[in-house]
Amino acid sequence: MPVEFLTDEQAASYGKFNEEPTRPELERFFFLLGCGRGGHMLAGLSLDMPVEEHLAELVRGLDAGWKQLAERLEEAGPAAKVSIEVQDDGRVKLNVDKLGALGEPKSLTWLRKRVEKMLPKIDLPDLLFEVNAWTGFLDAFVHLGDGTTRMKDLSTSVVALLVPEACNIGLAPVVNPGYEALTRARLVHVDQYYPRADTIAAANARLIAAQAAVPTVKFWGEGLLASVDGLWFVVPVRTVSAAPPPKYFGFKRGITWLNAVNDQVAGIGQMVVPGTPRDSLHILDALLNLDGGVKPEVVATDNASYSDMVFGLFKILGYNFSPRFRDLDDQRFWRATMPGVETGTYGALEDLARNRVNLNKVITHWPDLLKVAGSLVTNQVRAYDLPRMFGREGRPARWVRRSRSTGGSCSGPPGISTLPSTTGRRRPAPAARPGRARAGRGRRRRGLNAHIG
């Protein structure tokens, strides 16, 4: 949609509350706990306890994480691949050696070649029909009108639409005038009424459930780890959904497809965003609208423009955010204390853990944070829009600043996602690719340091 008619002031204020929002405006956009729906939502997020109990649990976990990490560094001694350096200006720098590549055993090379020889060479449509025989995922493509209309050989028409859509080849290669289910008129009709965002999500949910039921998959994971990464595609036509990414592709316009894959190697959700935004709040939006599968507990990404606020939003929604840090030596690590909760010292990490979380700010604005959590899980607002809607001249609103304290209470030792074992191996944050995600889980089991969240 063209926006040239807007003034600079109107464009800057678009999508924001220019003044303090009234309660009717909040009820329109946000989930309010006083509407009688908050109890079940808070219980689902494990937030129905008093804020003091919730924060005490976080403080104990953070304290245990620091102590465990200090003990591991002491055990590793000179062989540790991590060092703490106090610079002349008083800043504390964390040095971590580069992660070495893991070699492939000969047995894995043999197994890969053996499996490749065992796989039959079949056409892609035949593969879809075979998977449908196992899962019935094509039955999820129902008519837009009443959801019950079924025409003859509908599955053939749906497969004929899915293949060119996935391969971006158009309908010409699959049209067959001699077969009713493959005529152009039939395919155009089916394309208009059956493949939609909701039916594709329902079909994917069946595939996710079928994948989780495979016995071998149980050895890969339980679906509690999700990796999210984006693929960028050039869009040759002018559309409001595309944006240029000058850093990577000049001024060509395109979109990014965010894909969430769990440790059972199943694509559990996706989202299309304009351009190439390196923003973790888009990732949170994708996680809140998964097609199926269990809710992941750990979310691994690459450098996703993380911040303490982002850590706080992920944590309050029940996710353990684990990005790959670009500049680990520039990160701030936090400690927390609370009356009635016993905490200790952290040995060699004492200088690193010098930033303290102000929990009083969290307690004061806890009701606002709960309203935000409810608004996000009920899809009344998108995570990406929150800071923009409540920002004032580049400065975030108070509840946004308080969420940073929540994030700080869970970004102490967890931020050090690549600390050493006595063997010199480190557990990297799993990348957003199925194979590397599985490798990440394997290294976590073998390494001394585990993610503490």
Side-chain angles (χ1 to χ4, degrees):
M1 182 180 71
V3 294
E4 288 80 3
F5 62 90
L6 296 177
T7 65
D8 293 341
E9 182 180 355
Q10 289 172 330
S13 62
Y14 177 78
K16 299 181 180 179
F17 289 114
N18 293 323
E19 303 295 339
E20 190 70 22
T22 63
R23 184 170 182 85
E25 288 177 327
L26 291 175
E27 289 178 350
R28 179 182 177 186
F29 292 103
F30 291 91
F31 182 98
L32 299 185
L33 301 180
C35 298
R37 301 170 294 172
H40 297 293
M41 183 275 296
L42 293 179
L45 294 174
S46 299
L47 297 175
D48 52 343
M49 66 182 71
V51 58
E52 290 80 8
E53 295 183 16
H54 178 76
L55 292 179
E57 182 179 339
L58 289 179
V59 171
R60 293 189 187 96
L62 187 61
D63 179 67
W66 279 117
K67 291 178 179 178
Q68 186 180 40
L69 196 56
E71 292 175 358
R72 289 172 174 173
L73 286 176
E74 185 178 359
E75 291 176 2
K81 304 300 181 180
V82 171
S83 62
I84 309 297
E85 176 185 350
V86 180
Q87 299 177 325
D88 296 336
D89 58 359
R91 293 183 57 191
V92 181
K93 182 179 179 182
L94 177 67
N95 299 316
V96 181
D97 290 353
K98 186 178 180 180
L99 177 66
L102 287 176
E104 290 188 355
K106 294 182 179 179
S107 58
L108 178 59
T109 304
W110 173 86
L111 179 62
R112 181 183 294 112
K113 293 181 179 179
R114 182 66 180 269
V115 171
E116 289 177 355
K117 292 180 180 180
M118 295 174 62
L119 293 176
K121 295 182 179 181
I122 60 176
D123 292 333
L124 184 55
D126 295 334
L127 176 61
L128 294 181
F129 282 121
E130 184 173 356
V131 173
N132 180 61
W134 305 336
T135 65
F137 79 98
L138 293 178
D139 295 335
F141 292 94
V142 296
H143 193 274
L144 177 62
D146 55 12
T148 59
T149 302
R150 304 292 294 183
M151 58 180 64
K152 182 180 179 182
D153 295 331
L154 176 61
S155 60
T156 301
S157 300
V158 172
V159 169
L161 290 170
L162 294 178
V163 171
E165 179 74 15
C167 299
N168 196 25
I169 58 176
L171 292 179
V174 297
V175 169
N176 185 351
Y179 188 52
E180 181 181 359
L182 297 178
T183 61
R184 181 173 291 274
R186 169 71 172 267
L187 294 179
V188 170
H189 172 78
V190 173
D191 185 40
Q192 185 175 2
Y193 289 101
Y194 289 88
R196 307 182 304 277
D198 58 322
T199 56
I200 292 175
N204 192 35
R206 298 195 181 193
L207 296 176
I208 296 170
Q211 174 82 345
V214 176
T216 305
V217 173
K218 302 295 184 181
F219 295 96
W220 298 346
E222 300 175 354
L224 301 179
L225 168 67
S227 298
V228 185
D229 200 1
L231 295 176
W232 193 77
F233 297 91
V234 175
V235 177
V237 297
R238 293 184 62 85
T239 171
V240 72
S241 299
K247 181 177 180 181
Y248 300 101
F249 299 98
F251 293 96
K252 294 182 179 179
R253 301 178 69 85
I255 60 173
T256 296
W257 180 56
L258 286 177
N259 185 31
V261 180
N262 65 10
D263 53 7
Q264 295 182 334
V265 199
I268 55 178
Q270 60 281 318
M271 182 180 181
V272 176
V273 295
T276 57
R278 302 177 63 83
D279 201 301
S280 47
L281 295 182
H282 279 304
I283 295 175
L284 184 56
D285 283 327
L287 293 171
L288 292 172
N289 294 276
L290 297 178
D291 294 340
V294 299
K295 176 183 175 181
E297 295 180 357
V298 180
V299 180
T301 71
D302 56 7
N303 305 302
S305 65
Y306 46 81
S307 65
D308 290 336
M309 183 198 75
V310 170
F311 275 99
L313 286 176
F314 272 81
K315 186 64 177 180
I316 202 172
L317 292 172
Y319 299 104
N320 199 340
F321 189 47
S322 180
R324 185 181 298 275
F325 291 99
R326 178 183 294 273
D327 300 309
L328 190 59
D329 55 347
D330 291 334
Q331 301 304 316
R332 302 178 68 186
F333 301 98
W334 301 85
R335 67 193 301 168
T337 57
M338 189 175 182
V341 179
E342 183 179 354
T343 57
T345 57
Y346 308 129
L349 301 174
E350 192 69 27
D351 291 332
L352 190 65
R354 63 179 182 177
N355 299 295
R356 294 182 179 272
V357 180
N358 189 343
L359 297 180
N360 290 328
K361 295 181 179 180
V362 179
I363 296 174
T364 301
H365 292 273
W366 187 248
D368 295 328
L369 295 175
L370 294 182
K371 293 173 185 178
V372 171
S375 302
L376 291 171
V377 298
T378 56
N379 284 321
Q380 302 211 178
V381 68
R382 297 191 312 168
Y384 183 74
D385 291 331
L386 283 175
R388 180 173 58 85
M389 291 174 66
F390 285 95
R392 294 291 188 278
E393 299 179 352
R395 180 175 175 80
R398 287 180 301 173
W399 72 264
V400 177
R401 299 196 297 270
R402 301 316 177 239
S403 68
R404 293 174 178 174
S405 298
T406 308
S409 65
C410 57
S411 58
I416 311 174
S417 58
T418 54
L419 285 176
S421 68
T422 53
T423 62
R425 293 295 182 189
R426 301 195 298 273
R427 186 190 70 85
R433 297 175 179 86
R436 293 174 66 181
R438 294 197 301 274
R441 289 181 63 85
R443 295 182 188 182
R444 178 175 60 181
R445 297 189 184 99
R446 293 192 297 272
L448 177 60
N449 182 69
H451 187 82
I452 306 165

